[in-house]
Amino acid sequence: MIRIAILISGRGSNMLRLADVVADMPDEARIVLVAANTNCDGLDSAAARGLPTRLVDRRDFADRSSHEAALADSIEAAGADWVLLAGYMAILSADFVTKFQGRIINIHPSLLPDLKGLDTHARALAAGHTQHGATVHVVTPALDDGPILLQAALTITRAETEAQLAARVLRLEHALYPF
Ligand code: GRF
């Protein structure tokens, strides 16, 4: 039985997709925690699904290290083996990453190592890239830099807006992350 904690900060569509898949494999995996660092739609959606949720609000803590300590306590109290980042909009410290070494996974909306960081769809379009996509990787202390587990690519063949491209990549993400 794989026990999964998912960390989110926003709408939580990848989290919901993971929840759908995990619900179909009850003997193999369970989501034991959905935690957010800010009050967000995803947390409400997770609660509506009956998933265990926890708001560990960054604003309630004086600094990153005390916030991360509370987050780590929640993850450990839930008995999670794996920590899946799904739109978690904060950079985790080396201490936090080391504590869960090799057991934190992230999904990033680009074909890493290209386009680390934010605004990947706009940057892909601005750079005239013809290939774009999503990457699932192990989290290391360096941002968007850990060993790559999976990638899915699409071709940018026509003029499209950032929103259109983002929607296409998100569909890829929803297929890729559960896999
Ligand atoms: C996704 O594009 C993910 O790759 C990135 O943040 C976005 C989160 O979207 N890290 P959602 O909250 O899962 O809908």
Side-chain angles (χ1 to χ4, degrees):
M1 165 69 71
I2 298 169
R3 296 169 64 89
I4 298 166
I6 304 179
L7 306 189
I8 61 171
S9 303
R11 76 194 146 185
S13 72
N14 277 288
M15 175 275 298
L16 290 171
R17 187 64 198 120
L18 291 166
D20 285 345
V21 172
V22 165
D24 285 340
M25 42 195 294
D27 297 333
E28 290 152 85
R30 181 181 306 158
I31 294 172
V32 294
L33 177 69
V34 176
N37 60 348
T38 185
N39 215 341
C40 58
D41 290 345
L43 209 54
D44 296 337
S45 305
R49 289 283 181 105
L51 297 171
T53 58
R54 185 81 189 262
L55 173 61
V56 187
D57 197 325
R58 175 65 181 84
R59 291 169 305 180
D60 292 340
F61 296 86
D63 51 31
R64 179 168 78 168
S65 96
S66 54
H67 177 252
E68 285 187 343
L71 195 58
D73 285 350
S74 298
I75 293 166
E76 285 174 341
D81 310 307
W82 291 91
V83 179
L84 304 191
L85 309 184
Y88 186 69
M89 298 301 286
I91 295 174
L92 295 166
S93 71
D95 280 352
F96 186 93
V97 172
T98 303
K99 191 178 183 79
F100 298 98
Q101 185 138 29
R103 298 187 289 130
I104 310 178
I105 309 291
N106 183 42
I107 187 159
H108 180 78
S110 81
L111 294 173
L112 290 174
D114 279 347
L115 302 174
K116 297 176 181 181
L118 298 174
D119 299 324
T120 56
H121 310 304
R123 287 159 59 209
L125 289 171
H129 288 186
T130 55
Q131 292 287 301
H132 190 39
T135 302
V136 174
H137 68 97
V138 180
V139 172
T140 59
L143 181 68
D144 298 330
D145 194 56
I148 290 172
L149 300 174
L150 292 166
Q151 288 187 310
L154 54 72
T155 303
I156 304 174
T157 52
R158 54 193 159 89
E160 61 184 329
T161 65
E162 179 186 349
Q164 287 168 331
L165 182 58
R168 287 209 292 147
V169 172
L170 192 64
R171 282 200 295 278
L172 277 189
E173 293 185 42
H174 291 167
L176 189 66
Y177 212 175
F179 184 77

